[in-house]
Amino acid sequence: MPTYRDEAIVLRTQKLGEADRIITLLTREHGKVRAVGKGVRRTSSRFGARLEPFMVIDVQLHIGRTLDTVTQIETIGPYARVISEDYALYTAGAAMLEAADRLVADEKEPAVQQYWLLAGGLRALAERAHAPCLVLDSYLLRAFAVAGWAPSFDDCARCGEPGPHHSFSAPTGGAVCLRCRPPGSASPSPETFALLAALLTGDWPMADASDERHRREASGLVAAYTQFHLERTLRALKHVDRAPV
């Protein structure tokens, strides 16, 4: 039987029949894959716990006509339990999985950078390396950059005039100068612009030292940027815990 092996992140699952599930995976080499996990809803299943959202696995799949079939699994990152048991981790992680599912739209199209970005974000959540909201916002900004929609937080996103600037427009692509500022643009503080730039570039000492009010303002701008480019709101974002850490 034709099979292939790959590393994968479980994005979501849905019931199929009495005991099976359809598993949506983001794989390292094959992009997004939908596969059947046979019998995984039975308590005796060897695979069930390893085919839950947030798990990072090494998986072997049998190629099918419409859906592939999971035949072997080894655990790489057992993140499901630790993330699912904490509300702040779970809501941030759920938004990350949903974003990855939307950004990698086509099945079996390689998305290596998106895979590594999500794997790193889930690991950071599970290890509690940074505040969950910071990990989420950093992941979203980087994921959009990988997808070709990198925001600008210094130079004007429309004309390129060097910053710093004092306005932000999601449709325009980030910071905008006075001449290019569309009506309705936000006016974030300089500290919020600095935080957004730090989250995009991975400057964690700066991000971790940020003030709570700037984190909240940054999260609102990231949410607006996300909604504009995905053309819809991530359902999980409204549940994200923004409590101070």
Side-chain angles (χ1 to χ4, degrees):
M1 294 190 301
T3 63
Y4 63 98
R5 199 170 193 98
D6 206 344
E7 294 181 14
I9 300 166
V10 181
L11 298 181
R12 57 188 169 92
T13 67
Q14 61 190 94
K15 294 179 181 179
L16 178 66
E18 295 184 357
D20 304 338
R21 279 200 178 106
I22 296 175
I23 317 296
T24 301
L25 304 166
L26 178 59
T27 69
R28 187 181 67 181
E29 302 294 339
H30 297 82
K32 188 160 69 175
V33 172
R34 292 200 310 148
V36 176
K38 291 187 177 296
V40 297
R41 289 163 56 200
R42 298 193 182 103
T43 56
S44 59
S45 171
R46 296 179 296 118
F47 294 163
R50 286 177 267 181
L51 287 174
E52 293 294 331
F54 308 115
M55 292 293 286
V56 182
I57 57 178
D58 183 298
V59 60
Q60 180 174 290
L61 300 115
H62 166 62
I63 299 174
R65 288 187 178 180
T66 55
L67 296 173
D68 297 344
T69 302
V70 176
T71 57
Q72 292 183 19
I73 305 173
E74 293 180 12
T75 301
I76 297 175
Y79 305 142
R81 174 173 292 183
V82 64
I83 291 177
S84 298
E85 289 179 348
D86 182 284
Y87 183 79
L89 297 179
Y90 177 79
T91 53
M96 291 163 62
L97 296 186
E98 186 181 350
D101 196 7
R102 299 271 182 85
L103 286 169
V104 185
D106 297 327
E107 295 186 21
K108 303 243 176 127
E109 290 290 332
V112 179
Q113 289 180 285
Q114 292 288 359
Y115 171 83
W116 286 119
L117 187 63
L118 182 58
L122 294 178
R123 183 174 63 251
L125 284 182
E127 294 176 353
R128 303 176 189 271
H130 312 283
C133 64
L134 293 179
V135 174
L136 168 60
D137 289 339
S138 178
Y139 166 76
L140 290 173
L141 291 174
R142 294 184 186 192
F144 281 114
V146 168
W149 299 315
S152 173
F153 298 124
D154 187 22
D155 297 345
C156 177
R158 176 170 287 174
C159 72
E161 180 180 333
H165 299 295
H166 305 289
S167 299
F168 178 92
S169 168
T172 305
V176 284
C177 66
L178 285 174
R179 292 192 305 274
C180 298
R181 182 185 189 275
S185 297
S187 299
S189 67
E191 294 85 355
T192 298
F193 266 127
L195 173 57
L196 288 166
L199 293 174
L200 179 61
T201 60
D203 183 353
W204 286 107
M206 191 279 174
D208 290 336
S210 61
D211 185 83
E212 180 61 26
R213 64 192 175 95
H214 300 135
R215 294 184 185 186
R216 289 184 177 274
E217 188 173 36
S219 292
L221 298 177
V222 173
Y225 200 81
T226 298
Q227 181 174 354
F228 176 79
H229 285 288
L230 292 182
E231 299 181 347
R232 66 178 72 180
T233 303
L234 293 177
R235 295 188 301 272
L237 272 185
K238 64 182 179 181
H239 302 295
V240 170
D241 186 356
R242 303 288 185 184
V245 176

